[in-house]
């Protein structure tokens, strides 16, 4: 069992975070499927009372209403705001028609932060996330603008969300050599039904000291145990119209999760979340809830520890096909380079196309 207040250091920083972060995309009913402000505040209060300390929002969540709900919550509880890791994101344009209303240029990112601070009713955010890749904004401009915000005390740490691995690596390298605020954390979609980030993003984050916070660990509810084959999404599903339903292979994974859940005597959601939390590259998993009951079900996953056999039963059907050169670096690469030797405790066979004896020429 891992308590919610068993904190983990985020990446190569001094910031400590809960194993589960509270995502607030559901705060506000503006999109037709979220939680009311009253329910949102109840969810916030219970998460914090249980020891959680990471609140994740974005300027675009319910068109800014999510940030407003969070701001009102802390405004009514003086002194509590500084005890949490409050994060928000920029990139989305909340001013249609304004070419500088969104994106990652200096003008846009500073203006978006000021608007978020106003809604959050705070002087600073602990984590400020780039919420997408702006192909037309030089990464140096974005990084320098963020570094200025850190120097001004309005931002504590910097994160990247939903960007290609090469962009994140480029950003971290530039920040390092120019002495700018580094990239501390990375957000990406990751679940038993979406594991392709294992090819580039997760290894990159580990190598560069970047903490990983996966979002949609239940794949929009598909791993919650509520989806029935040929029955579509469950009634009231907030993601029903946002993502496609499970594929044929997806149903194989969903069934594997259900079997492990039945074996343990818990729900499918607890198993799926426990699997994500078990991945060594993951720092804190972002959970979302539209009701207090959903929050409690997600938090219950902290009581689940999967055995090696159960992990293997989930890994096998969910293993993805990764882009080149993933299959080379995972298999033939080590054998070609170190075949015939034992390296880091692993005995590697001789590469078949090479003679077992020493080189002849």
């Amino acid at each position: 069992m891992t308590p919610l207040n068993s904190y983990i250091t985020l990446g190569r920083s001094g910031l400590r975070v809960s194993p589960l972060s509270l995502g607030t995309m559901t705060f506000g009913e503006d999109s037709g499927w979220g939680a009311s402000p009253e329910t949102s505040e109840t969810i916030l209060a219970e998460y914090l009372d249980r020891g959680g300390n990471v609140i994740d929002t974005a300027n675009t969540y319910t068109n800014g209403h999510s940030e407003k709900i969070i701001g009102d919550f802390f405004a009514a509880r003086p002194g509590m705001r500084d005890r949490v890791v409050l994060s928000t994101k920029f990139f989305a344009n909340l001013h249609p028609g304004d070419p500088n209303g969104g994106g990652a240029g200096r003008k846009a990112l500073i203006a978006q932060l000021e608007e978020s601070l106003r809604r959050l009713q705070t002087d600073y955010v602990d984590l400020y996330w780039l919420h997408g890749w702006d192909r037309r904004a030089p990464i140096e401009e974005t990084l320098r603008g963020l570094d200025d915000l850190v120097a001004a005390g309005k931002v504590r740490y910097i994160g990247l969300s939903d960007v290609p691995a090469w962009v994140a690596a480029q950003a971290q390298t530039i920040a390092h050599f120019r002495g700018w605020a580094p990239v501390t954390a990375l957000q990406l979609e990751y679940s038993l039904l979406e594991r392709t980030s294992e090819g580039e993003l997760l290894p990159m984050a580990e190598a560069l000291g970047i903490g990983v916070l996966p979002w949609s660990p239940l794949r929009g509810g598909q791993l919650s145990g509520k989806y029935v084959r040929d029955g579509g999404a469950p009634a009231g599903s907030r993601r029903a119209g946002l993502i496609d339903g499970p594929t044929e292979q997806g149903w194989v994974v969903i069934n594997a999760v259900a079997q492990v859940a039945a074996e343990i005597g818990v729900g499918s959601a607890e198993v799926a979340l426990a699997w994500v939390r078990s991945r060594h590259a993951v720092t804190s998993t972002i959970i979302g809830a539209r009701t207090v009951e959903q929050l409690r079900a997600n938090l219950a996953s902290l009581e689940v520890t999967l055995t090696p056999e159960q992990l293997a039963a989930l890994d096998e059907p969910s293993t993805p096909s990764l882009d080149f050169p993933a299959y080379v670096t995972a298999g033939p690469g080590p054998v070609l380079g170190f075949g015939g030797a034992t390296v880091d405790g692993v005995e590697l066979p001789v590469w078949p196309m090479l003679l077992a004896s020493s080189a002849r020429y």
Side-chain angles (χ1 to χ4, degrees), residues 15 23 73 93 105-106 146 164 171 180 220 226 261 263 315:
L15 188 65
F73 178 88
N93 191 346
R106 174 184 286 270
L146 291 170
W180 295 341
K226 298 178 180 179
E263 176 184 325
D315 287 342

Side-chain angles (χ1 to χ4, degrees), residues 154-222:
K154 295 185 176 184
V155 170
R156 299 293 189 259
Y157 298 91
I158 293 169
L160 301 178
S161 177
D162 305 342
V163 302
W166 72 265
V167 172
Q170 180 189 41
Q172 187 73 315
T173 302
I174 290 173
H176 172 74
F177 281 104
R178 296 199 177 181
W180 295 341
V183 177
T184 297
L186 181 73
Q187 280 196 30
L188 46 80
E189 182 179 3
Y190 190 48
S191 72
L192 278 162
L193 291 176
E194 178 46 74
R195 294 179 56 185
T196 55
S197 56
E198 294 175 6
E200 297 283 351
L201 283 160
L202 292 179
M204 178 277 303
E206 285 192 281
L208 298 181
I210 302 174
V212 174
L213 282 74
W215 56 265
S216 198
L218 298 180
R219 184 62 174 165
Q222 292 181 15

Side-chain angles (χ1 to χ4, degrees), residues 19-53:
L20 295 179
S21 299
L22 181 61
T24 63
M25 187 177 177
T26 56
F27 282 18
E29 300 170 299
D30 306 60
S31 300
W33 44 256
S36 69
E38 295 75 21
T39 299
S40 299
E41 290 201 0
T42 302
I43 291 170
L44 258 175
E46 177 144 347
Y47 171 77
L48 295 172
D49 287 345
R50 294 277 292 270
N53 77 334

Side-chain angles (χ1 to χ4, degrees), residues 243-313:
I243 60 174
D244 295 331
T247 63
E248 284 299 316
Q249 185 57 34
W251 282 114
V252 174
V253 176
I254 291 170
N255 290 336
V257 172
Q259 290 173 9
V260 172
E263 176 184 325
I264 300 174
V266 300
S268 290
E270 287 102 304
V271 170
L273 288 169
W275 179 87
V276 173
R277 189 166 49 82
S278 74
R279 310 301 284 181
H280 60 86
V282 171
T283 304
S284 178
T285 304
I286 300 173
I287 57 172
R290 188 168 47 85
T291 65
V292 176
E293 291 71 28
Q294 288 178 350
L295 173 70
R296 291 170 181 167
N298 288 340
L299 295 181
S301 67
L302 293 170
E303 301 176 8
V304 176
T305 300
L306 301 173
T307 66
E309 294 75 20
Q310 290 163 345
L311 289 171

